[in-house]
Amino acid sequence: MALTQNQLSGNLPSTFGYRLHNLEELYLAINYLSRALPSSISNSSNLRLIEFGGNKFTGSIPTSMGDLRFLELLDLSGNLLVSDSASPELSFITSLAKYQYLSILVLGDNPLNGIIPDSLSNVSTSLEELSAPNCKIKGSIPDGIGNLRSLILLDLSNNDLSGSLPATINDLQKLQYMDLSMNKLISRVPLHLLCALHNLDTMNLGQNQIMASIPKCFGNLTSLRHLDLSYNRLYSAPPEEIWNPKDLLELDLYSNLLSGSLPYAITNMKMANWVDLSTNQFSGGIPNSIVLNSKS
């Protein structure tokens, strides 16, 4: 059933789902549907794909949705959904432990205003995409995130996350896209743990409160194309290895406390189309090789 991008309004009836036992895919995105999501949707027990993004649904996400044991994709982004007022945690995440086939979970642009529970570790090991930017999520990233070893995309940007990166993040060996920018993360755990993520194409830790030096092993992330560490408190001279990835397209180190001189090795980044080193404490001259390379 596909009713995406119409002008549907009103609410889903409380009996929704009771007569749709064989329904496998339900698309209601980009409408004007409002009020609470009915818990009766769990009666459509064969649902595999749900797209409710871009509406005006309110209230909390019913835990009964965890009974949809065949669900592969759940998109609730762009609504007005909040956490359960009875608990500071996002309790619906605990209910997701019943999902064996869930591969995509999209929650972005909802004022959830809750804490990610440790039960995140029980979510399907098939999960490939976890996207929850701009959700007012607070607290720390739980250690259990390391159990989601099939993750390819992780986006928790523009939230109120604090504390350190969990040490278990280095277990996400398949991760290609990681955006944790615009939070309040610090660096109690060494950044070199991220060097285990050899498949990363994009790493964005910009606009946090990370106080650390850039590890040499970042130069070994040969799949990396986009690296954003801007608006942090990174200090000391960047290691020469940071200029090694020849296929790096974007490097943003804007507004840190980096020092030292610009080395000749910066010319190794022959594919780069954006390098921002401004608002730091670099000194010395600009190597002639940089000027010649930019002209060519």
Side-chain angles (χ1 to χ4, degrees), residues 22 33-34 44 60 66 86 123 138 147 194 203 224 241 286:
N22 296 316
L33 298 169
S34 58
S44 296
S60 59
V123 175
K138 50 194 177 184
N147 286 2
L194 298 174
M203 182 198 301
L224 204 59
E241 289 81 0
I286 299 176

PDB file of all heavy atoms in Angstrom, residues 22 33-34 44 60 66 86 123 138 147 194 203 224 241 286:
ATOM      1  N   ASN A  22      -2.127  -9.515   5.840  1.00  0.00           N
ATOM      2  CA  ASN A  22      -1.208  -9.968   4.797  1.00  0.00           C
ATOM      3  C   ASN A  22      -0.335  -8.836   4.237  1.00  0.00           C
ATOM      4  O   ASN A  22       0.503  -9.080   3.374  1.00  0.00           O
ATOM      5  CB  ASN A  22      -1.986 -10.623   3.651  1.00  0.00           C
ATOM      6  CG  ASN A  22      -2.706 -11.881   4.101  1.00  0.00           C
ATOM      7  OD1 ASN A  22      -2.133 -12.691   4.821  1.00  0.00           O
ATOM      8  ND2 ASN A  22      -3.952 -12.039   3.689  1.00  0.00           N
ATOM      9  N   LEU A  33      -0.476  13.526   8.133  1.00  0.00           N
ATOM     10  CA  LEU A  33      -1.048  12.671   9.155  1.00  0.00           C
ATOM     11  C   LEU A  33      -0.518  13.073  10.534  1.00  0.00           C
ATOM     12  O   LEU A  33       0.647  13.438  10.675  1.00  0.00           O
ATOM     13  CB  LEU A  33      -0.714  11.212   8.865  1.00  0.00           C
ATOM     14  CG  LEU A  33      -1.288  10.675   7.535  1.00  0.00           C
ATOM     15  CD1 LEU A  33      -0.690   9.327   7.192  1.00  0.00           C
ATOM     16  CD2 LEU A  33      -2.809  10.581   7.605  1.00  0.00           C
ATOM     17  N   SER A  34      -1.381  13.005  11.539  1.00  0.00           N
ATOM     18  CA  SER A  34      -1.003  13.520  12.852  1.00  0.00           C
ATOM     19  C   SER A  34      -1.496  12.594  13.960  1.00  0.00           C
ATOM     20  O   SER A  34      -1.986  11.493  13.711  1.00  0.00           O
ATOM     21  CB  SER A  34      -1.583  14.927  13.041  1.00  0.00           C
ATOM     22  OG  SER A  34      -3.000  14.899  12.908  1.00  0.00           O
ATOM     23  N   SER A  44      -0.752  -6.078  11.919  1.00  0.00           N
ATOM     24  CA  SER A  44      -0.322  -6.355  10.541  1.00  0.00           C
ATOM     25  C   SER A  44       1.022  -7.068  10.636  1.00  0.00           C
ATOM     26  O   SER A  44       2.079  -6.528  10.305  1.00  0.00           O
ATOM     27  CB  SER A  44      -0.205  -5.058   9.740  1.00  0.00           C
ATOM     28  OG  SER A  44      -1.464  -4.433   9.612  1.00  0.00           O
ATOM     29  N   SER A  60       4.624   9.027  21.758  1.00  0.00           N
ATOM     30  CA  SER A  60       5.777   8.123  21.774  1.00  0.00           C
ATOM     31  C   SER A  60       5.595   7.003  20.753  1.00  0.00           C
ATOM     32  O   SER A  60       4.481   6.738  20.291  1.00  0.00           O
ATOM     33  CB  SER A  60       5.968   7.538  23.174  1.00  0.00           C
ATOM     34  OG  SER A  60       4.808   6.838  23.583  1.00  0.00           O
ATOM     35  N   GLY A  66       7.390  -3.567  18.253  1.00  0.00           N
ATOM     36  CA  GLY A  66       8.396  -4.604  18.371  1.00  0.00           C
ATOM     37  C   GLY A  66       7.871  -5.989  18.035  1.00  0.00           C
ATOM     38  O   GLY A  66       8.649  -6.926  17.851  1.00  0.00           O
ATOM     39  N   ALA A  86       7.370   8.229  30.899  1.00  0.00           N
ATOM     40  CA  ALA A  86       7.572   7.437  32.112  1.00  0.00           C
ATOM     41  C   ALA A  86       9.031   7.041  32.316  1.00  0.00           C
ATOM     42  O   ALA A  86       9.397   6.559  33.383  1.00  0.00           O
ATOM     43  CB  ALA A  86       6.699   6.185  32.062  1.00  0.00           C
ATOM     44  N   VAL A 123      19.529  -5.099  19.582  1.00  0.00           N
ATOM     45  CA  VAL A 123      18.880  -4.874  18.293  1.00  0.00           C
ATOM     46  C   VAL A 123      19.502  -5.810  17.262  1.00  0.00           C
ATOM     47  O   VAL A 123      20.661  -6.215  17.383  1.00  0.00           O
ATOM     48  CB  VAL A 123      19.025  -3.394  17.872  1.00  0.00           C
ATOM     49  CG1 VAL A 123      18.466  -3.156  16.480  1.00  0.00           C
ATOM     50  CG2 VAL A 123      18.308  -2.498  18.874  1.00  0.00           C
ATOM     51  N   LYS A 138      20.178  12.543  24.305  1.00  0.00           N
ATOM     52  CA  LYS A 138      21.172  12.956  25.296  1.00  0.00           C
ATOM     53  C   LYS A 138      21.830  11.729  25.921  1.00  0.00           C
ATOM     54  O   LYS A 138      21.563  10.596  25.529  1.00  0.00           O
ATOM     55  CB  LYS A 138      20.501  13.824  26.359  1.00  0.00           C
ATOM     56  CG  LYS A 138      19.247  13.231  26.947  1.00  0.00           C
ATOM     57  CD  LYS A 138      18.448  14.260  27.732  1.00  0.00           C
ATOM     58  CE  LYS A 138      17.147  13.669  28.254  1.00  0.00           C
ATOM     59  NZ  LYS A 138      16.315  14.659  28.941  1.00  0.00           N
ATOM     60  N   ASN A 147      27.938  -4.167  19.300  1.00  0.00           N
ATOM     61  CA  ASN A 147      27.308  -5.424  18.881  1.00  0.00           C
ATOM     62  C   ASN A 147      26.660  -5.316  17.509  1.00  0.00           C
ATOM     63  O   ASN A 147      26.319  -6.340  16.907  1.00  0.00           O
ATOM     64  CB  ASN A 147      26.244  -5.852  19.897  1.00  0.00           C
ATOM     65  CG  ASN A 147      26.856  -6.400  21.173  1.00  0.00           C
ATOM     66  OD1 ASN A 147      28.065  -6.424  21.324  1.00  0.00           O
ATOM     67  ND2 ASN A 147      26.024  -6.841  22.089  1.00  0.00           N
ATOM     68  N   LEU A 194      39.548   4.460  16.336  1.00  0.00           N
ATOM     69  CA  LEU A 194      38.830   4.615  15.065  1.00  0.00           C
ATOM     70  C   LEU A 194      39.656   4.109  13.887  1.00  0.00           C
ATOM     71  O   LEU A 194      39.117   3.918  12.800  1.00  0.00           O
ATOM     72  CB  LEU A 194      38.456   6.090  14.852  1.00  0.00           C
ATOM     73  CG  LEU A 194      37.522   6.694  15.901  1.00  0.00           C
ATOM     74  CD1 LEU A 194      37.349   8.186  15.658  1.00  0.00           C
ATOM     75  CD2 LEU A 194      36.164   5.998  15.884  1.00  0.00           C
ATOM     76  N   MET A 203      34.112  10.239   7.864  1.00  0.00           N
ATOM     77  CA  MET A 203      34.196  10.357   9.313  1.00  0.00           C
ATOM     78  C   MET A 203      33.990  11.826   9.670  1.00  0.00           C
ATOM     79  O   MET A 203      34.799  12.675   9.306  1.00  0.00           O
ATOM     80  CB  MET A 203      35.549   9.884   9.845  1.00  0.00           C
ATOM     81  CG  MET A 203      35.646   9.946  11.379  1.00  0.00           C
ATOM     82  SD  MET A 203      37.361   9.900  12.003  1.00  0.00           S
ATOM     83  CE  MET A 203      37.949   8.351  11.350  1.00  0.00           C
ATOM     84  N   LEU A 224      39.191   6.373   3.189  1.00  0.00           N
ATOM     85  CA  LEU A 224      38.630   7.639   3.650  1.00  0.00           C
ATOM     86  C   LEU A 224      38.616   8.678   2.526  1.00  0.00           C
ATOM     87  O   LEU A 224      39.629   8.918   1.865  1.00  0.00           O
ATOM     88  CB  LEU A 224      39.446   8.160   4.830  1.00  0.00           C
ATOM     89  CG  LEU A 224      38.755   9.116   5.800  1.00  0.00           C
ATOM     90  CD1 LEU A 224      37.525   8.469   6.426  1.00  0.00           C
ATOM     91  CD2 LEU A 224      39.730   9.531   6.903  1.00  0.00           C
ATOM     92  N   GLU A 241      51.561  11.575   8.676  1.00  0.00           N
ATOM     93  CA  GLU A 241      50.760  10.509   8.054  1.00  0.00           C
ATOM     94  C   GLU A 241      49.372  10.969   7.659  1.00  0.00           C
ATOM     95  O   GLU A 241      48.730  10.357   6.807  1.00  0.00           O
ATOM     96  CB  GLU A 241      50.645   9.316   9.021  1.00  0.00           C
ATOM     97  CG  GLU A 241      51.922   8.526   9.211  1.00  0.00           C
ATOM     98  CD  GLU A 241      52.872   9.173  10.206  1.00  0.00           C
ATOM     99  OE1 GLU A 241      52.524  10.256  10.753  1.00  0.00           O
ATOM    100  OE2 GLU A 241      53.955   8.612  10.441  1.00  0.00           O
ATOM    101  N   ILE A 286      54.474  28.984   3.859  1.00  0.00           N
ATOM    102  CA  ILE A 286      53.730  28.034   3.042  1.00  0.00           C
ATOM    103  C   ILE A 286      54.721  27.413   2.064  1.00  0.00           C
ATOM    104  O   ILE A 286      55.361  28.127   1.291  1.00  0.00           O
ATOM    105  CB  ILE A 286      52.599  28.729   2.279  1.00  0.00           C
ATOM    106  CG1 ILE A 286      51.615  29.354   3.275  1.00  0.00           C
ATOM    107  CG2 ILE A 286      51.887  27.755   1.363  1.00  0.00           C
ATOM    108  CD1 ILE A 286      50.504  30.148   2.607  1.00  0.00           C
TER     109      ILE A 286
END
